[in-house]
């Protein structure tokens, strides 16, 4: 785990997260340069956002390619969990990046909890948003969780708040693959939410009229 500031960490990625990170990087770079191939790939992936892999089988070659099956061969004990998590992370990213040509919406180190907290300016807690975030973590049904994450991603996109989709993929995989996964991921999301603090420059800007210049 690499420390970048006192409040932000870049978690090491596991096999699935590394695959998703490596898959997104050239697409994101191409999209921001308006390259037709990258634009087309994102448009196709976006159609799968919020849908299960089985609901959009035409995306199989875009989300699960040869590189994926090199890391997760068909005999892998958690192949279903890996396939679903990769599909969900990649399609949610495509939704997040839509119409964003100036900034990449996949950014290493931006965990989900901290990203949601960034949507709450001034250090105050937006209770409806906090509740939506908690509901995403507590969802027992995979489809319900995905739908709630899709709603959160749309809010992040509207406010230009990026997310680490490699980390998200690893977390979605652990939720499905391991008995203790859901509780551990909920704890990670909650920790990111509670520990986030805005950069010093932003905190100074939030001081409001007391620090604003006055006309003499």
């Amino acid at each position: 785990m690499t420390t970048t500031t006192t409040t932000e960490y870049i978690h090491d990625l596991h096999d699935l997260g590394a695959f998703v990170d490596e898959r997104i990087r050239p697409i994101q770079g191409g999209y921001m340069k308006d390259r037709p191939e990258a634009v087309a790939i994102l448009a196709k992936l976006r159609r799968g956002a919020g849908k299960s892999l089985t609901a959009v089988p035409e995306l199989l070659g875009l989300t699960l390619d040869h590189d994926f099956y090199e890391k997760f061969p068909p005999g892998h004990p958690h192949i279903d969990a890996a396939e679903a998590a990769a599909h969900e992370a990649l399609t949610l990213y495509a939704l997040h990046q839509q119409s964003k040509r100036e900034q990449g919406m996949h950014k290493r180190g931006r965990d989900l909890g901290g990203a949601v907290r960034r949507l709450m300016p001034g250090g105050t807690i937006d209770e409806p948003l906090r509740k939506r975030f908690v509901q995403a973590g507590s969802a027992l049904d995979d489809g319900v969780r995905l739908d709630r994450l899709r709603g959160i991603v749309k809010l992040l996109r509207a406010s230009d708040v990026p997310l680490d989709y490699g980390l998200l993929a690893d977390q979605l995989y652990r939720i499905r693959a391991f008995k203790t996964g859901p509780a551990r991921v909920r704890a990670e999301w909650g920790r990111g939410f509670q520990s986030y603090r805005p950069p010093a420059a932003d905190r100074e800007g939030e001081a409001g009229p007391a620090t604003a210049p006055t006309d003499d």
Side-chain angles (χ1 to χ4, degrees), residues 32-182:
M32 293 173 67
K33 294 178 181 178
D34 200 24
R35 291 175 178 165
E37 180 180 1
V39 173
I41 289 174
L42 272 183
K44 292 176 182 177
L45 287 173
R46 197 161 54 243
R47 292 201 294 268
K51 299 177 182 178
S52 68
L53 177 61
T54 56
V56 281
E58 67 273 16
L59 298 184
L60 183 61
L62 292 178
T63 55
L64 308 176
D65 57 12
H66 175 76
D67 291 337
F68 173 86
Y69 287 107
E70 281 286 313
K71 294 184 177 183
F72 292 90
H76 191 281
H78 303 298
I79 184 65
D80 290 340
E83 289 175 337
H87 166 82
E88 290 177 4
L90 287 166
T91 54
L92 287 173
Y93 161 72
L95 174 65
H96 199 163
Q97 191 67 54
Q98 183 181 13
S99 301
K100 302 293 181 182
R101 300 297 176 90
E102 303 300 321
Q103 179 182 4
M105 292 293 105
H106 166 56
K107 185 173 182 179
R108 292 283 286 115
R110 294 300 181 91
D111 66 282
L112 182 64
V116 171
R117 193 63 183 268
R118 281 176 167 85
L119 296 175
M120 304 178 185
T124 59
I125 299 297
D126 181 321
E127 188 57 30
L129 177 54
R130 188 198 69 82
K131 183 177 181 180
R132 180 181 292 193
F133 171 63
V134 170
Q135 288 174 337
S138 62
L140 299 178
D141 180 81
D142 295 330
V144 172
R145 182 190 314 106
L146 179 57
D147 184 65
R148 290 171 179 171
L149 287 175
R150 182 177 183 274
I152 290 173
V153 165
K154 292 174 71 174
L155 294 175
L156 296 175
R157 183 186 69 189
S159 295
D160 294 330
V161 176
L163 185 63
D164 186 338
Y165 279 91
L167 176 60
L168 181 65
D170 276 338
Q171 291 170 332
L172 292 175
Y173 171 68
R174 293 207 308 273
I175 287 174
R176 282 184 168 84
F178 305 107
K179 185 176 181 179
T180 60

